[in-house]
Amino acid sequence: MSKSYTESTYFFGQTNPAELIQKYGSPLYVYNEAILRKRCREIKAISNYPKFQANYSVKANGNLTLLRIIREEGFCADAMSPGEIYVEEMAGFEPQEILFISNNVSPEEMRFAIDRNILISVDSLSQLEQYGKLNCGGKICIRFNPMVGAGHNAKVITGGKNTKFGVDPAAIPEVKAILEKYQLKLIGINQHIGSLFLEGSEYLQGMQAALAVARQFTDLEFIDFGGGFGIPYQKQDKQSRLDLKALGHQIHQIFIDYATECGRELTFKIEPGRYLVAECGILLGSVTAVKSNFGMHYLGTDLGFNILQRPILYGSYHDLELYRPQTGEFLDKNNAKELTTYQVVGNICESGDILAENRLLPTAQTGDILAVLDAGAYGYCMASNYNNRLRPAEVLITTDGRDILIRRRDSLQDLVRGFL
Ligand code: LLP
């Protein structure tokens, strides 16, 4: 019998899903430290160019313990909000290790970063003006639109003509005029083509677009090429991984060629989020009901879309496994004896509350535990208290296989904390 993914990766270390849920409650986000560190090292191995810098895109998962591990692995960080800056500082990132990639922010939010000596990237002429007024003579970074995009869904493609992000490179003369007006020093440019590619051609094309912009500014200290490095969400169907080694060689070569062209060593940055954290995270939930209605089999769980939004927001697919506490079996569609096609649904009062549609799964019973794979990126951080449900706890399986609580579950008091 073939082993399930969690068994073959020894994902739960010395414990198992039933023990974890008994100890920390259901649902539960579980992270595996060894997998996290492995992915960090793969990204760092892209290039040995001395001024290659990998910035973790914290929006993918902002858990403080994970941030500390990622920092230990030699990463800097990008931030999208004062809240992310706040947590990054707590995790030990220094101001010069943080880039605030702002989008439509208020003067107060810019001031928050300026006061901390954190570099801001702006992505419109009006935000550049706003920055100039606040910090005349200061340093600045600008996000340009690479005019090429990629992503798993139109909602997450951030380059090209159909996106709010980035300055059109055609506006460079206006950019230069504003820089001049406020005596701003442009020290870096950045971009992001979008989230999740499994094949690197658009990324490489985007890099060339960034270099074309870079050539129009002298004295840049860095170029940041963005993130988007994808992971295979359909492992049970043997979906191929991104060939990071091959892509890494090409990326490295572009660094070397451009540094040679400039005759000096600039810093080159990338901003992976999902690649680091998606696969180290699994969401566990409980099968609370099974029912058949009008020819449809429903698997009722406590995994509403308040816990994991990706399926209803983007139609995202996550592999699923079942754990049966009575027998200790890890079942998936490749090793189970009996299969059923289910609508896997949550406990939120909307018909759209569907985690997986028409999904072939091991035939389930109440009391089984459902494991949602690759849930470490854009999982907990997008969870909400909709229906006044409690956000789950987060647990880390350490490299030596122990489980430790790294964020407690919400309490009922948390739900009413802000009321006056
Ligand atoms: N840099 C910038 C400027 C970004 O906006 C993002 C992601 C990243 C880097 C990291 O992208 P990654 O390497 O993680 O693909 N919630 C969606 C993804 C939204 C991505 C937003 N920006 C999802 O669940 O798929």
Side-chain angles (χ1 to χ4, degrees):
M1 202 165 78
S2 68
K3 279 193 174 170
S4 76
Y5 174 78
T6 57
E7 266 184 305
S8 64
T9 52
Y10 189 57
F11 194 94
F12 298 106
Q14 299 169 20
T15 180
N16 65 52
E19 275 180 15
L20 287 169
I21 281 199
Q22 199 179 19
K23 204 160 157 188
Y24 304 108
S26 179
L28 180 68
Y29 274 96
V30 186
Y31 304 102
N32 180 296
E33 181 180 356
I35 298 177
L36 173 61
R37 289 191 186 272
K38 179 167 184 268
R39 298 297 175 225
C40 288
R41 288 168 197 181
E42 287 169 4
I43 288 285
K44 293 290 286 184
I46 282 182
S47 174
N48 59 7
Y49 174 78
K51 289 191 168 178
F52 166 51
Q53 193 184 94
N55 284 11
Y56 170 53
S57 194
V58 171
K59 62 182 79 68
N61 188 321
N63 183 289
L64 185 61
T65 305
L66 301 195
L67 289 191
R68 288 188 172 132
I69 294 172
I70 291 169
R71 181 162 188 276
E72 248 175 54
E73 290 292 333
F75 281 72
C76 296
D78 82 20
M80 199 69 200
S81 66
E84 286 190 352
I85 291 173
Y86 186 71
V87 184
E88 286 165 18
E89 285 175 336
M90 228 169 152
F93 290 98
E94 299 291 335
Q96 69 278 8
E97 295 173 337
I98 300 173
L99 176 60
F100 180 23
I101 300 181
S102 73
N103 176 243
N104 305 332
V105 298
S106 66
E108 293 72 28
E109 289 175 302
M110 277 190 183
R111 175 59 64 204
F112 185 91
I114 294 166
D115 287 349
R116 288 167 162 71
N117 244 326
I118 289 172
L119 185 66
I120 303 180
S121 153
V122 293
D123 84 340
S124 64
L125 298 178
S126 76
Q127 293 258 291
L128 185 58
E129 280 271 356
Q130 175 176 304
Y131 181 82
K133 286 182 191 142
L134 287 171
N135 200 26
C136 191
K139 292 180 177 174
I140 187 71
C141 172
I142 297 177
R143 175 173 180 168
F144 284 94
N145 186 328
M147 303 313 291
V148 52
H152 65 83
N153 184 285
K155 291 185 179 126
V156 299
I157 296 175
T158 52
K161 287 190 176 158
N162 294 316
T163 172
K164 65 173 178 167
F165 293 105
V167 174
D168 180 350
I172 287 178
E174 287 95 316
V175 165
K176 287 187 170 170
I178 301 171
L179 292 174
E180 171 90 23
K181 179 170 161 198
Y182 296 100
Q183 292 139 47
L184 297 174
K185 184 165 165 39
L186 182 71
I187 63 163
I189 59 169
N190 70 299
Q191 65 180 33
H192 178 62
I193 61 171
S195 195
L196 204 161
F197 55 81
L198 284 172
E199 189 271 309
S201 57
E202 280 103 352
Y203 194 80
L204 295 169
Q205 214 181 315
M207 288 182 80
Q208 295 302 342
L211 298 183
V213 172
R215 288 187 183 97
Q216 302 190 51
F217 296 96
T218 48
D219 303 334
L220 286 184
E221 291 172 16
F222 72 85
I223 302 171
D224 178 344
F225 297 102
F229 302 85
I231 64 109
Y233 281 97
Q234 290 179 250
K235 295 179 174 55
Q236 291 170 353
D237 294 324
K238 312 230 174 324
Q239 185 181 21
S240 312
R241 296 194 70 79
L242 167 69
D243 187 348
L244 194 62
K245 264 199 184 144
L247 178 60
H249 284 310
Q250 290 169 288
I251 292 175
H252 172 75
Q253 198 53 49
I254 293 175
F255 294 167
I256 300 295
D257 292 347
Y258 192 69
T260 310
E261 179 185 326
C262 293
R264 66 193 169 91
E265 275 186 350
L266 294 87
T267 296
F268 296 116
K269 307 186 189 199
I270 62 169
E271 283 161 18
R274 182 190 320 269
Y275 192 88
L276 302 191
V277 290
E279 293 169 289
C280 76
I282 281 184
L283 171 61
L284 295 178
S286 302
V287 175
T288 44
V290 279
K291 85 169 171 192
S292 298
N293 253 7
F294 315 110
M296 191 78 101
H297 300 297
Y298 289 92
L299 195 61
T301 73
D302 54 4
L303 297 174
F305 68 81
N306 60 312
I307 307 290
L308 181 68
Q309 289 209 34
R310 302 191 71 254
I312 68 150
L313 203 51
Y314 317 111
S316 297
Y317 186 104
H318 286 261
D319 278 338
L320 300 174
E321 266 184 37
L322 274 183
Y323 179 78
R324 184 147 297 153
Q326 295 89 337
T327 59
E329 287 171 294
F330 290 85
L331 301 171
D332 66 19
K333 66 175 185 183
N334 297 318
N335 71 9
K337 289 193 199 85
E338 199 193 328
L339 299 172
T340 302
T341 300
Y342 290 110
Q343 291 292 87
V344 184
V345 294
N347 52 8
I348 294 297
C349 66
E350 296 197 24
S351 286
D353 183 25
I354 301 172
L355 179 71
E357 273 190 271
N358 275 322
R359 187 66 73 87
L360 195 60
L361 281 177
T363 302
Q365 57 201 43
T366 54
D368 284 347
I369 293 171
L370 191 67
V372 183
L373 307 192
D374 304 317
Y378 307 107
Y380 186 97
C381 58
M382 291 172 69
S384 80
N385 291 119
Y386 186 42
N387 278 193
N388 263 4
R389 291 217 160 266
L390 308 179
R391 285 170 311 164
E394 294 182 294
V395 165
L396 183 73
I397 307 293
T398 58
T399 44
D400 55 359
R402 287 172 303 117
D403 53 286
I404 54 171
L405 185 66
I406 58 171
R407 170 154 31 196
R408 67 164 174 79
R409 187 180 190 207
D410 282 346
S411 65
L412 290 173
Q413 293 75 40
D414 289 329
L415 293 178
V416 296
R417 213 174 27 192
F419 290 137
L420 300 172

